[in-house]
């Protein structure tokens, strides 16, 4: 059984249609339930729920404070390579885009790591395009070994891997995995990924589960909101997180809510997700999955990010460059997408504090390298 | 006469504590409030997740906010099995956090319920290594006995699932532990209101650990003070031995046995 079975179970179901049929009374009923099922989650994503955002926000805020406290974890991405063999139509690293391709060598990785560490950040997310022959699991693992002294927590957001490859990364010091399905709509997925290994919908869909099986501490899933009808993708994102939480209770599951951003291609999203819609997704998700981590990246503008802090966000990126070598300032390479919140780490921390929340830099202690345990 | 707390110390692992309220460090909007919480609550024991401690950072480190007089109770938050808990405990001791350790082994990210078997394994190993081990547990008599036999210095049963503020949902089970277990009982997790901490103490619990209810209160310092008072009141009531609760009215007369006195 994989999450594919869950997706298949909804084949032919008119999810946006079902959301349209929801009444305000349905929403109020759902909000009174202590534990929500999939139907209630969809209820909270409905147009009827859009009129009850404040009530949802009150509950989402209370749940978040209760389970996570007034804290926001901070991380930053480090782009190792922008080589890519895929042609995702919505991405600036698309193999057909004529951009300078670079890949950091060990020295470059160290320089980037040092530059980021100087900002005080302790959680790092390593990114590559999808070119497994160049930026392979071995290469990414080596990068992790180089960086683990600076960063107690290392995550990867790279191509979908096999379970052994995830296990290898874990041995190199990686503890979390982020992998976006982009869209859960299989036919749209095929159209958006015309060539390259990422075309394999099922291999990608099952990758987070392989990460859980390999022993990743945190697995973060998501859809690129706007590619398909946002209600459908938000619904399946929540269902995916719930599936992983139930099946792999040892893994912390988190969700990211990235919206489409301008990039070096010409693709325009199908379904625009406005700020109100983004907030509705965030609130519905928090109420549906009270213990799920929720990540908001610098794709979102500073003012909006600041307002989202009390609504259920648990992790934010800060001090971001989406260009390879962008932190040490030694590159002119093009970023993967344009960021909207260019503030420094200290500025983001100040904004978090102004909301009465505490920025958290470190939330994991690596356990390797300690004397063997006779358990 | 008011009860004198100085004559009612709590002894754990050979250490004498005057306060029976333990506090936490997680979930605060700012760590800067921690010294005030310690002062207002009167607490002498504070738990801190090693995973959040950054020994290398001079600033922005939770440790710098913990007053010197507090006894550190590092916890193994993040451990998913006994092996990880043992490693975290050793790291905490090596990092200078002392030899008290709160074992948390949680392998369920949805409900955050403690794993009794793994907790007992970790407790056994660490107690042998000289740690003062305080395991967080479900209030299950058999698990509590295992933990006591494994060398736990106290046991920390949950009142309700962690962070829920739902109160003493496991009251009956905690009552059994109070009756049966020889080491101190520290009610941990679930307590949302001072009245609930007071109730646990009235029942005969030896101490309470409160984190979420203080950290997420509108005014954490005032709430810390309220919890300190509630725990003292509950303890005092316990020592004062409350009169029995009567069902079905007063027993001023003895209709069935009164004739005995009249003879
Ligand atoms: S989204 Fe990833 S795989 Fe697709 S083109 Fe961009 S970098 Fe390559």
């Amino acid at each position: 059984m994989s999450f594919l079975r869950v997706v298949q179970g909804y084949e032919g179901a008119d999810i946006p249609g079902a959301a349209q049929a929801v009444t305000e009374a349905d929403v109020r009923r759902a909000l009174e339930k202590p534990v929500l099922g999939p139907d209630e989650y969809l209820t909270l994503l409905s147009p009827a729920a859009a009129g009850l955002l404040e009530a949802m926000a009150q509950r989402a805020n209370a749940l978040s404070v209760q389970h996570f406290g007034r804290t926001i974890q901070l991380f930053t991405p480090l782009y190792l390579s922008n080589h890519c063999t895929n042609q995702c139509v919505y991405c600036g690293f698309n193999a057909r885009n004529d951009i300078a391709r670079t890949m950091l060598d060990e020295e470059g990785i160290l320089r980037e790591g040092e530059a980021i560490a100087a900002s005080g950040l302790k959680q790092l997310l390593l990114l590559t395009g999808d070119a497994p022959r160049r930026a392979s699991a071995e290469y990414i693992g080596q990068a992790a070994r180089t960086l683990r002294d600076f960063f107690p927590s290392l995550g990867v957001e790279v191509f979908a891997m096999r379970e052994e490859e995830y296990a290898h990364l874990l041995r190199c010091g990686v503890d979390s995995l982020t992998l976006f399905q982009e869209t859960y709509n299989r036919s749209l997925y095929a159209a958006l990924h015309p060539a390259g290994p990422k075309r394999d919908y099922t291999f990608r869909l099952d990758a987070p589960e392989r990460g859980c099986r390999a022993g990743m501490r945190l697995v973060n899933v998501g859809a690129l909101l706007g590619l398909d009808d946002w209600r459908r993708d938000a619904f399946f994102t929540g269902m995916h997180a719930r599936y992983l939480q139930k099946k792999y209770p040892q893994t912390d599951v988190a969700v990211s809510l990235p919206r489409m951003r301008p990039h070096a291609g010409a693709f325009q999203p199908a379904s625009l997700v406005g700020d109100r819609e983004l907030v509705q997704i965030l609130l519905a998700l928090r109420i549906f999955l009270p213990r799920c981590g929720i990540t908001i990246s610098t794709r979102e503008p500073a003012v909006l990010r600041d307002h989202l802090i009390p609504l259920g966000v648990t992790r934010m990126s800060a001090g971001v460059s989406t260009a390879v070598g962008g932190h040490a300032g030694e590159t002119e390479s093009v970023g993967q997408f344009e960021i909207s919140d260019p503030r420094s780490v200290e500025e983001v921390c100040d904004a978090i504090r102004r909301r009465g929340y505490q920025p958290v830099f470190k939330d994991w202690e690596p356990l390797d390298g300690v004397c063997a345990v006779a358990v | 006469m008011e009860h004198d707390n100085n004559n009612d110390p709590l002894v754990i692992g050979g250490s004498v504590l005057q306060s029976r309220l333990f506090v936490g460090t997680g979930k605060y909007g700012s760590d800067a409030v921690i010294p005030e919480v310690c002062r207002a609550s009167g607490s002498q024991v504070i738990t801190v997740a090693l995973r959040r401690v950054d020994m290398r950072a001079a600033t922005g480190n939770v440790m710098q906010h913990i007053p010197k007089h507090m006894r550190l109770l590092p916890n193994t938050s993040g451990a998913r099995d006994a092996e990880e808990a043992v490693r975290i405990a050793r790291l905490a001791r090596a990092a200078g956090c002392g030899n008290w350790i709160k074992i948390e082994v949680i392998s369920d990210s949805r409900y955050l319920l403690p794993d009794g078997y793994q907790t007992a394994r970790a407790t056994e190993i660490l107690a042998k290594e000289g740690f003062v081990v305080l395991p967080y547990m479900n209030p299950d008599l058999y698990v509590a006995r295992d933990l006591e036999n494994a060398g736990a210095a106290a046991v920390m049963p949950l009142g309700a699932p962690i962070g829920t503020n739902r109160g003493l949902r496991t009251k009956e089970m905690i009552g059994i532990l109070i009756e049966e277990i020889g080491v101190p009982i520290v009610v941990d997790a679930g307590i949302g209101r001072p009245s609930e901490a007071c109730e646990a103490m009235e029942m005969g619990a030896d101490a309470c650990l409160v984190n979420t209810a203080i950290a997420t209160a509108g005014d954490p310092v005032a709430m810390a003070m309220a919890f300190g008072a509630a725990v003292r009141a509950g303890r005092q009531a316990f020592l004062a031995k409350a009169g029995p609760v009567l069902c079905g009215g007063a027993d001023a007369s003895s209709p069935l046995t009164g004739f005995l006195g009249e003879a």
Side-chain angles (χ1 to χ4, degrees):
Chain A
M1 164 89 189
S2 96
F3 183 61
L4 184 63
R5 291 272 289 278
V6 178
V7 175
Q8 283 170 340
Y10 283 92
E11 237 159 54
D14 179 8
I15 289 174
Q20 292 294 334
V22 168
T23 66
E24 195 183 302
D26 294 332
V27 180
R28 291 195 189 276
R29 256 193 305 278
L31 279 176
E32 276 166 22
K33 284 205 140 194
V35 179
L36 275 66
D39 290 351
E40 284 105 3
Y41 175 47
L42 185 59
T43 297
L44 298 188
L45 292 170
S46 70
L52 292 166
L53 284 191
E54 184 55 33
M56 286 170 67
Q58 295 292 342
R59 177 149 179 204
N61 169 262
L63 285 169
S64 305
V65 169
Q66 200 173 32
H67 293 303
F68 296 93
R70 292 190 178 90
T71 62
I72 301 283
Q73 291 193 33
L74 291 181
F75 71 99
T76 208
L78 194 176
Y79 281 75
L80 296 172
S81 159
N82 63 3
H83 289 278
C84 192
T85 56
N86 283 302
Q87 296 179 17
C88 312
V89 301
Y90 47 81
C91 174
F93 286 177
N94 178 335
R96 301 186 87 177
N97 282 352
D98 187 17
I99 59 167
R101 304 284 169 173
T102 49
M103 182 168 157
L104 295 178
D105 58 13
E106 187 132 350
E107 233 173 80
I109 292 169
L110 202 58
R111 268 200 302 275
E112 284 285 284
E114 281 168 350
I116 295 170
S119 70
L121 289 168
K122 297 282 175 190
Q123 300 189 35
L124 198 58
L125 183 62
L126 304 177
L127 289 98
T128 65
D130 190 339
R133 293 230 184 103
R134 279 171 178 272
S136 62
E138 284 67 38
Y139 165 79
I140 298 163
Q142 191 48 46
R145 286 187 197 281
T146 305
L147 293 162
R148 63 206 273 190
D149 281 348
F150 302 104
F151 302 98
S153 178
L154 293 170
V156 290
E157 184 180 337
V158 299
F159 52 93
M161 289 184 176
R162 290 176 287 117
E163 192 176 327
E164 312 84 80
E165 291 173 312
Y166 287 134
H168 170 72
L169 293 182
L170 274 151
R171 285 192 295 274
C172 295
V174 171
D175 54 62
S176 75
L177 163 66
T178 293
L179 197 115
F180 299 154
Q181 185 60 25
E182 319 295 9
T183 177
Y184 289 86
N185 178 335
R186 195 189 257 267
S187 53
L188 177 64
Y189 186 91
L192 296 174
H193 303 94
K198 193 171 166 182
R199 263 185 80 73
D200 189 339
Y201 175 90
T202 310
F203 187 73
R204 191 164 184 91
L205 190 74
D206 288 341
E209 181 159 9
R210 290 193 294 276
C212 291
R213 277 206 298 268
M216 287 288 174
R217 233 159 237 295
L218 178 101
V219 170
N220 192 20
V221 296
L224 189 46
L225 295 169
L227 291 179
D228 189 21
D229 175 278
W230 64 262
R231 288 198 173 87
R232 191 164 28 222
D233 268 339
F235 176 73
F236 282 117
T237 302
M239 292 296 285
H240 199 177
R242 180 176 186 258
Y243 168 87
L244 295 172
Q245 272 194 340
K246 273 187 173 264
K247 192 162 177 194
Y248 300 95
Q250 292 213 326
T251 309
D252 276 331
V253 177
V255 164
S256 292
L257 301 174
R259 290 193 287 186
M260 281 295 307
R261 292 290 312 153
H263 60 100
F267 176 78
Q268 285 310 312
S271 147
L272 276 173
V273 181
D275 291 354
R276 285 190 76 84
E277 285 81 22
L278 181 72
V279 166
Q280 186 176 354
I281 298 168
L282 171 67
L283 299 175
L285 195 62
R286 167 56 66 235
I287 297 169
F288 179 48
L289 300 173
R291 285 194 194 283
C292 184
I294 300 180
T295 309
I296 290 287
S297 77
T298 52
R299 284 170 184 267
E300 302 302 340
V303 180
L304 178 65
R305 293 216 309 163
D306 293 356
H307 281 106
L308 296 181
I309 288 171
L311 300 183
V313 173
T314 59
R315 278 160 44 92
M316 289 170 87
S317 47
V320 171
S321 163
T322 68
V324 177
H327 290 280
E330 292 173 15
T331 180
E332 295 295 308
S333 91
V334 180
Q336 190 184 24
F337 57 87
E338 287 175 25
I339 63 170
S340 301
D341 181 353
R343 291 176 295 182
S344 69
V345 175
E346 204 33 58
E347 286 167 330
V348 172
C349 288
D350 280 346
I352 292 172
R353 289 191 199 104
R354 270 201 301 278
R355 297 258 151 194
Y357 280 67
Q358 176 168 211
V360 170
F361 285 67
K362 175 176 179 287
D363 193 43
W364 182 238
E365 181 68 37
L367 296 180
D368 54 6
V370 187
C371 43
V373 186
V375 187
Chain B
M1 189 189 86
E2 197 182 340
H3 175 70
D4 178 3
N5 277 321
N6 291 325
N7 289 329
D8 176 35
L10 170 64
V11 181
I12 293 181
S15 293
V16 177
L17 301 165
Q18 303 303 338
S19 167
R20 291 171 178 267
L21 174 63
F22 297 4
V23 294
T25 48
K27 301 192 176 180
Y28 286 104
S30 163
D31 285 344
V33 77
I34 290 173
E36 284 295 287
V37 164
C38 293
R39 187 193 50 73
S41 65
S43 174
Q44 295 169 305
V45 178
I46 189 163
T47 184
V48 55
L50 185 77
R51 62 193 281 179
R52 286 267 168 102
V53 174
D54 186 357
M55 293 298 173
R56 287 196 259 182
T59 56
N61 183 3
V62 60
M63 300 296 274
Q64 87 201 56
H65 297 285
I66 298 178
K68 292 278 170 286
H69 73 274
M70 298 297 286
R71 176 169 285 280
L72 275 185
L73 177 57
N75 67 54
T76 64
S77 156
R80 297 178 299 189
D81 56 29
E83 182 185 7
E84 290 185 348
V86 167
R87 286 179 174 209
I88 293 171
R90 290 176 183 166
L91 280 167
R93 186 156 71 175
C97 296
N99 70 338
W100 281 37
I101 189 82
K102 176 182 165 192
I103 307 286
E104 277 184 43
V105 181
I106 291 172
S107 53
D108 186 299
S109 62
R110 273 163 70 84
Y111 300 102
L112 303 185
L113 292 170
D115 181 328
Y117 174 64
Q118 300 288 336
T119 302
R121 290 174 71 212
T123 299
E124 185 165 16
I125 294 166
L126 293 168
K128 279 190 189 134
E129 292 182 12
F131 282 90
V132 174
V133 185
L134 288 79
Y136 170 57
M137 61 167 308
N138 245 310
D140 175 302
L141 179 60
Y142 297 96
V143 174
R145 282 191 182 131
D146 285 345
L147 293 171
E148 191 178 5
N149 292 336
V155 292
M156 306 184 80
L158 57 88
I162 220 165
T164 58
N165 285 351
R166 290 219 178 101
L168 270 188
R169 296 295 170 113
T170 59
K171 187 175 170 187
E172 297 292 329
M173 303 302 134
I174 288 178
I176 293 172
L177 300 193
I178 290 170
E179 290 294 319
E180 299 295 324
I181 299 300
V183 294
I185 309 288
V186 183
V187 178
D188 179 8
I191 289 179
R193 292 180 164 66
S195 54
E196 293 153 1
C198 187
E199 185 178 8
M201 298 304 294
E202 252 176 39
M203 284 167 61
D206 295 279
C208 290
L209 190 150
V210 181
N211 183 24
T212 305
I214 295 176
T216 66
D219 183 343
V221 175
M223 190 56 89
M225 191 177 284
F227 267 104
V231 165
R232 282 194 300 277
R235 177 66 183 173
Q236 209 163 325
F238 171 73
L239 294 173
K241 297 190 176 61
V245 177
L246 299 177
C247 312
D251 72 340
S253 62
S254 308
L256 298 180
T257 55
F259 68 94
L260 293 172
E262 289 161 10

CSV table of all heavy atoms in Angstrom, one decimal, chain A residues 84 86-88 90-91 93-95 128-130 182 198 336, ligand 1:
chain,number,residue,atom,x,y,z
A,84,CYS,N,20.3,20.4,-14.4
A,84,CYS,CA,19.0,19.7,-14.3
A,84,CYS,C,18.7,19.0,-15.7
A,84,CYS,O,18.9,19.6,-16.7
A,84,CYS,CB,17.8,20.6,-14.0
A,84,CYS,SG,16.4,19.7,-13.6
A,86,ASN,N,15.7,17.8,-16.3
A,86,ASN,CA,14.2,17.8,-16.4
A,86,ASN,C,13.8,19.1,-17.1
A,86,ASN,O,14.5,20.0,-17.3
A,86,ASN,CB,13.5,17.7,-15.1
A,86,ASN,CG,13.6,16.3,-14.5
A,86,ASN,OD1,13.1,15.4,-15.1
A,86,ASN,ND2,14.2,16.1,-13.4
A,87,GLN,N,12.5,19.0,-17.5
A,87,GLN,CA,12.0,20.2,-18.2
A,87,GLN,C,10.7,20.7,-17.6
A,87,GLN,O,9.7,21.0,-18.3
A,87,GLN,CB,11.8,19.8,-19.7
A,87,GLN,CG,13.1,19.5,-20.4
A,87,GLN,CD,12.8,19.1,-21.9
A,87,GLN,OE1,11.8,19.4,-22.5
A,87,GLN,NE2,13.9,18.5,-22.5
A,88,CYS,N,10.7,20.7,-16.3
A,88,CYS,CA,9.5,21.2,-15.6
A,88,CYS,C,9.2,22.6,-16.1
A,88,CYS,O,10.0,23.5,-16.1
A,88,CYS,CB,9.7,21.2,-14.1
A,88,CYS,SG,10.5,19.7,-13.5
A,90,TYR,N,7.5,25.0,-15.2
A,90,TYR,CA,7.4,26.1,-14.3
A,90,TYR,C,8.7,26.5,-13.6
A,90,TYR,O,8.6,27.4,-12.7
A,90,TYR,CB,6.3,25.7,-13.2
A,90,TYR,CG,6.6,24.4,-12.6
A,90,TYR,CD1,7.6,24.2,-11.6
A,90,TYR,CD2,6.0,23.2,-13.1
A,90,TYR,CE1,7.9,23.0,-11.1
A,90,TYR,CE2,6.3,22.0,-12.6
A,90,TYR,CZ,7.2,21.9,-11.6
A,90,TYR,OH,7.5,20.6,-11.1
A,91,CYS,N,9.8,25.9,-14.0
A,91,CYS,CA,11.0,26.1,-13.2
A,91,CYS,C,12.2,26.8,-14.0
A,91,CYS,O,12.4,26.4,-15.2
A,91,CYS,CB,11.5,24.8,-12.7
A,91,CYS,SG,13.1,25.0,-11.8
A,93,PHE,N,15.3,26.4,-13.6
A,93,PHE,CA,16.4,25.5,-13.8
A,93,PHE,C,16.2,24.5,-14.9
A,93,PHE,O,17.0,23.6,-15.3
A,93,PHE,CB,16.8,24.7,-12.5
A,93,PHE,CG,17.4,25.5,-11.4
A,93,PHE,CD1,17.7,24.9,-10.2
A,93,PHE,CD2,17.8,26.8,-11.6
A,93,PHE,CE1,18.3,25.6,-9.2
A,93,PHE,CE2,18.4,27.6,-10.6
A,93,PHE,CZ,18.7,27.0,-9.4
A,94,ASN,N,15.0,24.5,-15.5
A,94,ASN,CA,14.6,23.6,-16.6
A,94,ASN,C,15.7,23.5,-17.6
A,94,ASN,O,16.4,24.4,-18.0
A,94,ASN,CB,13.4,24.4,-17.3
A,94,ASN,CG,12.8,23.8,-18.5
A,94,ASN,OD1,13.5,23.0,-19.2
A,94,ASN,ND2,11.6,24.1,-18.7
A,95,ALA,N,16.0,22.2,-18.0
A,95,ALA,CA,17.2,21.9,-18.8
A,95,ALA,C,17.2,22.7,-20.1
A,95,ALA,O,18.2,22.9,-20.7
A,95,ALA,CB,17.2,20.4,-19.2
A,128,THR,N,19.5,20.7,-5.0
A,128,THR,CA,20.1,20.6,-6.3
A,128,THR,C,19.0,20.6,-7.3
A,128,THR,O,17.9,20.3,-6.9
A,128,THR,CB,20.9,19.2,-6.4
A,128,THR,OG1,19.9,18.2,-6.4
A,128,THR,CG2,22.0,19.1,-5.4
A,129,GLY,N,19.3,20.7,-8.6
A,129,GLY,CA,18.4,20.4,-9.6
A,129,GLY,C,18.3,18.9,-9.7
A,129,GLY,O,18.8,18.2,-8.8
A,130,ASP,N,17.7,18.4,-10.7
A,130,ASP,CA,17.6,16.9,-10.9
A,130,ASP,C,18.5,16.4,-11.9
A,130,ASP,O,18.2,16.3,-13.1
A,130,ASP,CB,16.1,16.6,-11.2
A,130,ASP,CG,15.7,15.2,-11.1
A,130,ASP,OD1,16.7,14.3,-11.2
A,130,ASP,OD2,14.6,14.9,-11.0
A,182,GLU,N,4.6,18.7,-6.5
A,182,GLU,CA,4.3,19.7,-7.4
A,182,GLU,C,2.8,19.7,-7.7
A,182,GLU,O,2.1,20.6,-7.3
A,182,GLU,CB,5.1,19.6,-8.8
A,182,GLU,CG,6.5,19.2,-8.6
A,182,GLU,CD,7.4,20.2,-7.9
A,182,GLU,OE1,6.9,21.2,-7.4
A,182,GLU,OE2,8.7,20.1,-7.9
A,198,LYS,N,12.0,13.0,-13.8
A,198,LYS,CA,10.9,13.4,-12.9
A,198,LYS,C,9.6,13.1,-13.4
A,198,LYS,O,8.6,13.2,-12.7
A,198,LYS,CB,11.1,14.9,-12.6
A,198,LYS,CG,10.3,15.5,-11.5
A,198,LYS,CD,10.7,16.9,-11.2
A,198,LYS,CE,9.7,17.6,-10.3
A,198,LYS,NZ,10.1,19.0,-10.0
A,336,GLN,N,16.7,29.9,-8.7
A,336,GLN,CA,15.6,29.0,-9.2
A,336,GLN,C,14.3,29.8,-9.4
A,336,GLN,O,13.6,29.5,-10.3
A,336,GLN,CB,15.4,27.9,-8.2
A,336,GLN,CG,14.5,26.8,-8.8
A,336,GLN,CD,14.3,25.7,-7.8
A,336,GLN,OE1,14.4,25.9,-6.6
A,336,GLN,NE2,13.9,24.5,-8.3
C,1,LIG,S1,11.8,21.8,-10.6
C,1,LIG,FE1,13.6,20.7,-10.2
C,1,LIG,S2,13.6,19.0,-11.6
C,1,LIG,FE2,12.2,20.5,-12.4
C,1,LIG,S3,13.4,21.8,-13.8
C,1,LIG,FE3,13.4,22.7,-11.8
C,1,LIG,S4,15.3,22.0,-10.8
C,1,LIG,FE4,14.8,20.6,-12.5
